[in-house]
């Protein structure tokens, strides 16, 4: 069943949200005398013009653009880029989520619920016990290798342009809830290192294993990352020891941009084909990986780690794809 069309007032919800955020942001800028930040941190405003659009339009969160640009191009410490990514996605992807709901863009509700439960646990545990033990270059490489593995897996399965896809998880059972929750834990841990991860891991599960159409999996991943970023933002800013001061400076100059860019991306992608969505991902991931090869000093341990992460990612995504084939067979054998 197709989602109902939004009423005329609901279509303006993203605009109302953006205006509300802008008003609160302007008061905060004025109260803290922060206008001068645009003179020094303007490069992040420019970065997030593109990043926020990508966040709303693809399964890549805004952090998936911010993290590599900040760490590879501007040589900002990964923990600062991670904190900023969680902070800005809370605003940008939160705005995109409101646009998705207001425009009644289809999402997979089971995935939103159960992957969010797992993602909450994963990002908190990751911030406390995993991320502090990951060195800077290894954090960058983790990000690049996982995404490259996913690009290969997505390309492999999309060779078959007429493959069967679903708009929802048919025959949903408790084991599917457990699978989504466990995937959420893994994605949340990755988010704790690079600022995004739950979105791409869950997107992979939905597309490769559960055979959900990219047009549904994409807005689902946006909603998931908005929730996960908000949890990470809240935890790190309170019980998790506090957010990097530099991240706050970048955040202030990007808030008004992402509240427009992310909802615009969500609206832009609404009527695009799943192959168009996949094409956007190939280009973005390929550019990020090539930049990483040139910017990160390649040492033997780092290269070995990168190959290991890439191989593990390929294996994981391959198993997801193989499980997707078995799932279609199982659905075909189900009565009714």
């Amino acid at each position: 069943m197709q989602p109902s069309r939004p009423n005329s007032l609901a279509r303006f919800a993203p605009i109302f949200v953006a205006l509300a955020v802008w008003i609160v942001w302007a008061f905060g800028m004025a109260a803290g005398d922060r206008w001068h930040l645009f003179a020094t941190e303007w490069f992040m405003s420019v970065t997030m013009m593109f990043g926020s659009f990508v966040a709303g339009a693809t399964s890549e969160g805004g952090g998936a653009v911010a993290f590599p640009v900040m760490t590879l191009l501007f040589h900002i410490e990964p923990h600062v880029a991670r904190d900023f990514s969680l902070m800005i996605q809370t605003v940008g992807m939160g705005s995109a989520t409101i646009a998705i709901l207001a425009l009644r863009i289809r999402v997979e509700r089971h995935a939103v619920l159960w992957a969010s439960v797992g993602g909450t646990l994963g990002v908190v545990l990751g911030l406390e016990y995993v991320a502090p033990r990951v060195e800077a270059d290894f954090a960058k490489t983790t990000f690049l290798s996982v995404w490259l593995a996913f690009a290969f897996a997505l390309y492999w399965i999309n060779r078959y342009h007429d493959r069967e896809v679903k708009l929802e998880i048919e025959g949903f059972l408790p084991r599917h809830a457990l699978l989504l929750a466990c995937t959420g834990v893994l994605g949340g841990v990755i988010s704790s290192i690079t600022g995004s991860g739950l979105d791409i891991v869950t997107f992979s599960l939905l597309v490769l294993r559960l055979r959900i159409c990219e047009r549904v999996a994409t807005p689902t991943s946006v909603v998931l990352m908005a929730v996960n970023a908000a949890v990470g933002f809240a935890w790190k800013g309170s019980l998790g020891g506090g957010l990097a001061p530099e991240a706050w400076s970048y955040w202030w100059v990007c808030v008004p941009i992402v509240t427009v860019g992310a909802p615009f991306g969500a609206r832009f992608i609404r009527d695009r084909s799943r192959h168009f969505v996949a094409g956007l991902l190939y280009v973005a991931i390929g550019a990020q990986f090539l930049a990483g090869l040139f910017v990160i000093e390649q040492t033997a341990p780092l290269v070995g780690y990168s190959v290991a992460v890439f191989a593990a990612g390929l294996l994981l995504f391959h198993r997801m794809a193989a499980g997707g084939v078995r799932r279609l067979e199982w659905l075909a054998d189900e009565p009714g």
Side-chain angles (χ1 to χ4, degrees):
M1 182 177 66
Q2 294 294 326
S4 57
R5 303 294 297 178
N7 59 49
S8 57
L9 184 60
R11 295 181 182 183
F12 291 101
I15 298 175
F16 297 149
V17 172
L19 288 175
V21 172
W22 275 42
I23 291 171
V24 175
W25 167 82
F27 274 113
M29 290 289 285
D33 192 22
R34 299 182 175 96
W35 298 106
H36 66 279
L37 292 174
F38 281 107
T40 56
E41 320 300 355
W42 59 269
F43 62 92
M44 283 307 305
S45 301
V46 175
T47 297
M48 292 313 297
M49 287 180 186
F50 176 72
S52 60
F53 175 81
V54 170
T58 74
S59 59
E60 280 198 313
V65 174
F67 188 87
V69 169
M70 294 173 77
T71 58
L72 301 179
L73 184 59
F74 299 119
H75 306 290
I76 295 170
E77 287 296 317
H79 76 277
V80 177
R82 184 272 319 278
D83 285 359
F84 168 77
S85 296
L86 293 174
M87 295 163 67
I88 203 62
Q89 286 175 133
T90 300
V91 178
M93 300 188 83
S95 299
T97 294
I98 293 174
I100 287 168
L101 298 178
L103 296 172
R104 299 184 183 179
I105 297 173
R106 184 189 291 273
V107 298
E108 218 306 316
R109 296 182 182 276
H110 290 111
V112 170
L113 172 61
W114 292 107
S116 289
V117 171
T120 296
L121 178 62
V123 74
V124 171
L125 292 177
L127 287 170
E128 290 299 310
Y129 302 110
V130 180
R133 294 172 172 79
V134 179
E135 297 179 9
D137 283 345
F138 285 86
K140 301 172 190 176
T141 300
T142 299
F143 175 92
L144 296 172
S145 299
V146 170
W147 278 92
L148 185 66
F150 168 72
F152 271 82
L154 186 61
Y155 173 76
W156 182 263
I157 197 170
N158 268 329
R159 292 178 308 151
Y160 308 101
H161 280 221
D162 58 348
R163 66 185 176 90
E164 184 179 353
V165 294
K166 306 291 183 180
L167 297 179
E168 61 183 9
I169 302 175
E170 297 179 359
F172 189 84
L173 298 171
R175 61 187 174 91
H176 297 123
L178 180 61
L179 180 61
L180 286 164
C182 291
T183 301
V185 172
L186 174 62
V189 171
I190 297 174
S191 293
S192 74
I193 300 172
T194 67
S196 64
L198 176 63
D199 45 359
I200 188 60
V201 175
T202 307
F203 179 88
S204 305
L205 180 71
L206 290 174
V207 172
L208 301 176
R209 173 65 175 82
L210 300 174
R211 293 304 179 105
I212 300 299
C213 175
E214 288 91 332
R215 288 181 58 189
V216 177
T218 294
T220 301
S221 70
V222 170
V223 175
L224 279 168
M225 197 60 231
V227 174
N228 201 233
V231 171
F233 184 2
W235 181 268
K236 191 68 171 61
S238 55
L239 302 177
L243 296 150
E246 305 98 307
W248 281 107
S249 297
Y250 303 140
W251 186 79
W252 281 107
V253 300
C254 293
V255 165
I257 293 167
V258 301
T259 54
V260 175
F264 178 68
R267 189 181 187 95
F268 171 82
I269 208 66
R270 180 178 56 174
D271 298 320
R272 299 303 189 275
S273 71
R274 61 185 179 86
H275 302 297
F276 181 87
V277 175
L280 280 180
L281 289 172
Y282 300 148
V283 172
I285 294 170
Q288 290 166 1
F289 187 78
L290 290 176
L293 290 179
F294 285 103
V295 175
I296 302 174
E297 182 180 356
Q298 300 298 317
T299 63
L302 193 62
V303 171
Y305 175 77
S306 178
V307 171
V309 172
F310 176 69
L314 276 183
L315 178 61
L316 173 64
F317 296 135
H318 177 269
R319 297 310 303 163
M320 286 182 180
V325 174
R326 294 193 299 272
R327 173 171 172 77
L328 290 178
E329 296 172 349
W330 173 73
L331 288 173
D333 292 337
E334 283 291 288

